[in-house]
Amino acid sequence: METGIHNTSEIGRLKKVLLHRPGGELENLMPEYLERLLFDDIPYLKEAQREHDAFADCLRQQGVEVVYLRDLVAESITDADVRADLIRQFLEESGVRDDRLRESLEDYLSALPDKEMVSAMMAGVRKSQLRTNSARLGDYLSAAGDDYPFAVDPLPNLYFTRDPFATIGTGVSIHKMHTATRNRETLFGKFIFEHHPDYRNVPRWYDRGETSSLEGGDILILSPQVLAVGISQRTEEDSIDALAETVLSESKTFRKLLAFDIPKSRSFMHLDTVFTMVDRDKFTVHPNILQQITVFVMELDENRKMKIRQEDGRLEDILKEHLGLDRVTLIPCGSGSEIDAAREQWSDGSNTLAVGPGEVVVYSRNAVTNRALEEAGIRLHTIPSAELSRGRGGPRCMSMPLWREDP
Ligand SMILES: NC(=[NH2+])NCCC[C@H](N)C(=O)O
């Protein structure tokens, strides 16, 4: 049972991982609010849970210890003050302004045992759940005259544990998210890394109070010395500057940060939607954007001043140089077909989770890309993916490594 954090690569043998089993939050999705909540469709919860359980079982069979976000948050509630603080901050960040509404929500949450309370926060609270237990609130709700059905919005993207915070080396970066809908997710990270007995002392590389956005799907650990971070729809250059400054000067191993400038669009929201590492010298990429990636190298010079230079040349060669490899193979999503590439990238064909070098978890539905990976000598663990993929994230997005062996 490892405690603390150790994550020095994308491909070292995975020992412990954080997942979130989708829950009631998916049953609080409504067609009119899908876009704001970053969904394109409404997954069928029961089936999504079955698929997610298959994902967790697949990882356990590979010797990985699976822990769940809800449990870590509940275990972080170490005393009554922490609990009261969590409720207070959660409601404040959920935009609950009216005193009557806040009191009623406090009563509702306070009455639940820790785990159930955390699940209720994640699921969101319908006004109809509150109406019955307070006449005073009933007056407020009918007087307020707005027909928005939620007292607290759901957090449907929580099963993408990759994004709200990220483990890097022996520390963590807690994120400011690009959208309001995902920003509340990082509050759980804050409580885990402030209070959980196994995690409260880990170094902090970035914090949710920063002013520019950074999301975990943009952070890839290419080696114990080299990080890659996407400049994307979700992650701004300023955040990368700040992250580089702390990680390169304070971490024990990291020496370089490669910033990958990628197109800013919904389907390529994070670097890991178009590029993931599958082996020491193999990567899967979305071919349509290869021409559109620019790489910047960030390093501290002898005087500990940040130096940034733009790399020219092919991605293979840039990776070869910075990772000290003799050759690099890029395995294209869709295996050379423009149509298959676009379709399978949309369902996270290039979003793989390595459980060890040359061994990755993939969605079953991306058959063309999966065949290409196998032909390149990669061992696949396939998981079902009809419902989970509707949230626009794959095996890598759905997992946050807490402990990997060194590569
Ligand atoms: N690391 C990732 N690629 N995560 C995918 C997150 C998908 C989620 N619906 C969002 O838009 O935020």
Side-chain angles (χ1 to χ4, degrees), residues 38 157 160 162-163 182 217 234 266 269-270 272-273 391-392 397:
L38 306 172
N157 292 289
F160 302 117
R162 182 64 62 166
D163 301 322
R182 295 208 68 179
R234 305 291 180 84
R266 163 93 180 128
M269 69 196 99
H270 296 122
D272 74 358
T273 63
R392 297 276 78 73
C397 313

mmCIF file of all heavy atoms in Angstrom, residues 38 157 160 162-163 182 217 234 266 269-270 272-273 391-392 397, ligand 1:
data_model
loop_
_atom_site.group_PDB
_atom_site.id
_atom_site.type_symbol
_atom_site.label_atom_id
_atom_site.label_comp_id
_atom_site.label_asym_id
_atom_site.label_seq_id
_atom_site.Cartn_x
_atom_site.Cartn_y
_atom_site.Cartn_z
ATOM 1 N N LEU A 38 -20.390 20.327 -20.741
ATOM 2 C CA LEU A 38 -19.338 19.677 -21.532
ATOM 3 C C LEU A 38 -19.657 18.225 -21.913
ATOM 4 O O LEU A 38 -18.780 17.374 -21.984
ATOM 5 C CB LEU A 38 -17.984 19.752 -20.806
ATOM 6 C CG LEU A 38 -17.533 21.162 -20.393
ATOM 7 C CD1 LEU A 38 -16.283 21.096 -19.527
ATOM 8 C CD2 LEU A 38 -17.261 22.017 -21.625
ATOM 9 N N ASN A 157 -18.484 15.679 -15.052
ATOM 10 C CA ASN A 157 -17.172 15.343 -15.620
ATOM 11 C C ASN A 157 -16.203 14.745 -14.612
ATOM 12 O O ASN A 157 -15.032 14.534 -14.926
ATOM 13 C CB ASN A 157 -16.543 16.596 -16.242
ATOM 14 C CG ASN A 157 -17.316 17.042 -17.472
ATOM 15 O OD1 ASN A 157 -17.268 16.377 -18.496
ATOM 16 N ND2 ASN A 157 -18.063 18.134 -17.357
ATOM 17 N N PHE A 160 -13.626 11.939 -15.176
ATOM 18 C CA PHE A 160 -12.343 12.229 -15.839
ATOM 19 C C PHE A 160 -11.367 12.751 -14.781
ATOM 20 O O PHE A 160 -11.066 13.933 -14.705
ATOM 21 C CB PHE A 160 -12.540 13.215 -16.984
ATOM 22 C CG PHE A 160 -13.520 12.693 -17.997
ATOM 23 C CD1 PHE A 160 -14.713 13.347 -18.256
ATOM 24 C CD2 PHE A 160 -13.255 11.509 -18.669
ATOM 25 C CE1 PHE A 160 -15.627 12.833 -19.168
ATOM 26 C CE2 PHE A 160 -14.171 10.989 -19.584
ATOM 27 C CZ PHE A 160 -15.352 11.647 -19.830
ATOM 28 N N ARG A 162 -8.393 12.679 -14.535
ATOM 29 C CA ARG A 162 -7.120 13.178 -15.053
ATOM 30 C C ARG A 162 -6.994 14.696 -14.949
ATOM 31 O O ARG A 162 -5.889 15.224 -14.897
ATOM 32 C CB ARG A 162 -7.027 12.754 -16.531
ATOM 33 C CG ARG A 162 -5.779 13.127 -17.235
ATOM 34 C CD ARG A 162 -4.547 12.468 -16.676
ATOM 35 N NE ARG A 162 -4.518 11.021 -16.753
ATOM 36 C CZ ARG A 162 -3.402 10.297 -16.565
ATOM 37 N NH1 ARG A 162 -2.243 10.893 -16.292
ATOM 38 N NH2 ARG A 162 -3.459 8.983 -16.625
ATOM 39 N N ASP A 163 -8.133 15.386 -14.930
ATOM 40 C CA ASP A 163 -8.071 16.816 -15.219
ATOM 41 C C ASP A 163 -7.985 17.802 -14.042
ATOM 42 O O ASP A 163 -7.208 18.746 -14.111
ATOM 43 C CB ASP A 163 -9.251 17.191 -16.125
ATOM 44 C CG ASP A 163 -9.210 16.399 -17.430
ATOM 45 O OD1 ASP A 163 -8.103 16.196 -17.947
ATOM 46 O OD2 ASP A 163 -10.280 15.970 -17.916
ATOM 47 N N ARG A 182 -16.282 22.893 -14.459
ATOM 48 C CA ARG A 182 -15.302 21.939 -13.925
ATOM 49 C C ARG A 182 -14.493 22.514 -12.766
ATOM 50 O O ARG A 182 -13.801 21.759 -12.082
ATOM 51 C CB ARG A 182 -14.369 21.445 -15.042
ATOM 52 C CG ARG A 182 -15.107 20.625 -16.106
ATOM 53 C CD ARG A 182 -14.213 19.605 -16.784
ATOM 54 N NE ARG A 182 -13.817 18.526 -15.870
ATOM 55 C CZ ARG A 182 -13.056 17.498 -16.226
ATOM 56 N NH1 ARG A 182 -12.587 17.409 -17.456
ATOM 57 N NH2 ARG A 182 -12.739 16.546 -15.357
ATOM 58 N N GLY A 217 -5.340 16.919 -18.416
ATOM 59 C CA GLY A 217 -5.260 16.238 -19.705
ATOM 60 C C GLY A 217 -4.170 16.811 -20.597
ATOM 61 O O GLY A 217 -3.759 16.195 -21.581
ATOM 62 N N ARG A 234 -7.807 24.443 -23.182
ATOM 63 C CA ARG A 234 -7.990 24.443 -21.740
ATOM 64 C C ARG A 234 -6.800 24.981 -20.939
ATOM 65 O O ARG A 234 -6.951 25.300 -19.761
ATOM 66 C CB ARG A 234 -8.285 23.007 -21.261
ATOM 67 C CG ARG A 234 -9.457 22.332 -21.938
ATOM 68 C CD ARG A 234 -10.762 22.992 -21.526
ATOM 69 N NE ARG A 234 -11.914 22.371 -22.157
ATOM 70 C CZ ARG A 234 -12.511 21.279 -21.693
ATOM 71 N NH1 ARG A 234 -12.051 20.666 -20.624
ATOM 72 N NH2 ARG A 234 -13.556 20.791 -22.322
ATOM 73 N N ARG A 266 -12.845 21.941 -29.463
ATOM 74 C CA ARG A 266 -13.527 21.008 -28.557
ATOM 75 C C ARG A 266 -13.004 19.582 -28.704
ATOM 76 O O ARG A 266 -12.723 18.904 -27.724
ATOM 77 C CB ARG A 266 -15.029 21.060 -28.843
ATOM 78 C CG ARG A 266 -15.832 19.908 -28.313
ATOM 79 C CD ARG A 266 -16.388 20.217 -26.945
ATOM 80 N NE ARG A 266 -17.168 19.115 -26.421
ATOM 81 C CZ ARG A 266 -16.973 18.587 -25.217
ATOM 82 N NH1 ARG A 266 -16.026 19.047 -24.427
ATOM 83 N NH2 ARG A 266 -17.748 17.619 -24.797
ATOM 84 N N MET A 269 -9.541 19.048 -27.037
ATOM 85 C CA MET A 269 -9.505 19.954 -25.871
ATOM 86 C C MET A 269 -8.204 19.892 -25.071
ATOM 87 O O MET A 269 -7.755 20.881 -24.535
ATOM 88 C CB MET A 269 -10.698 19.683 -24.965
ATOM 89 C CG MET A 269 -10.606 18.339 -24.278
ATOM 90 S SD MET A 269 -12.148 17.815 -23.588
ATOM 91 C CE MET A 269 -12.735 16.700 -24.830
ATOM 92 N N HIS A 270 -7.617 18.669 -24.993
ATOM 93 C CA HIS A 270 -6.363 18.512 -24.241
ATOM 94 C C HIS A 270 -5.323 17.809 -25.111
ATOM 95 O O HIS A 270 -5.677 17.022 -25.991
ATOM 96 C CB HIS A 270 -6.575 17.602 -23.018
ATOM 97 C CG HIS A 270 -7.509 18.122 -21.985
ATOM 98 N ND1 HIS A 270 -8.636 17.435 -21.598
ATOM 99 C CD2 HIS A 270 -7.465 19.231 -21.217
ATOM 100 C CE1 HIS A 270 -9.253 18.104 -20.641
ATOM 101 N NE2 HIS A 270 -8.573 19.209 -20.394
ATOM 102 N N ASP A 272 -3.766 15.210 -24.415
ATOM 103 C CA ASP A 272 -3.919 13.743 -24.395
ATOM 104 C C ASP A 272 -5.090 13.251 -25.244
ATOM 105 O O ASP A 272 -5.346 12.053 -25.316
ATOM 106 C CB ASP A 272 -3.997 13.204 -22.956
ATOM 107 C CG ASP A 272 -5.317 13.484 -22.250
ATOM 108 O OD1 ASP A 272 -6.216 14.132 -22.830
ATOM 109 O OD2 ASP A 272 -5.457 13.039 -21.085
ATOM 110 N N THR A 273 -5.824 14.153 -25.891
ATOM 111 C CA THR A 273 -6.847 13.694 -26.837
ATOM 112 C C THR A 273 -6.230 13.458 -28.221
ATOM 113 O O THR A 273 -6.878 12.905 -29.097
ATOM 114 C CB THR A 273 -8.008 14.705 -26.988
ATOM 115 O OG1 THR A 273 -7.486 15.922 -27.525
ATOM 116 C CG2 THR A 273 -8.684 14.995 -25.665
ATOM 117 N N GLY A 391 -18.933 10.998 -22.830
ATOM 118 C CA GLY A 391 -18.451 12.184 -22.102
ATOM 119 C C GLY A 391 -17.208 12.792 -22.722
ATOM 120 O O GLY A 391 -16.678 13.758 -22.202
ATOM 121 N N ARG A 392 -16.743 12.233 -23.862
ATOM 122 C CA ARG A 392 -15.559 12.739 -24.595
ATOM 123 C C ARG A 392 -14.266 12.575 -23.816
ATOM 124 O O ARG A 392 -13.468 13.500 -23.687
ATOM 125 C CB ARG A 392 -15.676 14.217 -24.990
ATOM 126 C CG ARG A 392 -16.775 14.611 -25.951
ATOM 127 C CD ARG A 392 -16.399 14.407 -27.404
ATOM 128 N NE ARG A 392 -16.502 13.008 -27.797
ATOM 129 C CZ ARG A 392 -17.640 12.331 -27.984
ATOM 130 N NH1 ARG A 392 -18.776 12.893 -27.828
ATOM 131 N NH2 ARG A 392 -17.625 11.079 -28.331
ATOM 132 N N CYS A 397 -7.999 9.831 -19.704
ATOM 133 C CA CYS A 397 -8.767 10.883 -19.024
ATOM 134 C C CYS A 397 -9.443 10.356 -17.767
ATOM 135 O O CYS A 397 -9.675 11.112 -16.836
ATOM 136 C CB CYS A 397 -9.885 11.421 -19.905
ATOM 137 S SG CYS A 397 -9.428 11.804 -21.563
HETATM 138 N N1 LIG B 1 -8.069 14.470 -20.230
HETATM 139 C C1 LIG B 1 -9.100 14.560 -21.030
HETATM 140 N N2 LIG B 1 -8.944 14.547 -22.323
HETATM 141 N N3 LIG B 1 -10.307 14.694 -20.481
HETATM 142 C C2 LIG B 1 -11.509 14.738 -21.203
HETATM 143 C C3 LIG B 1 -12.555 15.508 -20.473
HETATM 144 C C4 LIG B 1 -13.897 15.492 -21.142
HETATM 145 C C5 LIG B 1 -14.899 16.387 -20.476
HETATM 146 N N4 LIG B 1 -16.213 16.203 -20.979
HETATM 147 C C6 LIG B 1 -14.496 17.846 -20.658
HETATM 148 O O1 LIG B 1 -14.882 18.422 -21.647
HETATM 149 O O2 LIG B 1 -13.827 18.427 -19.852
#
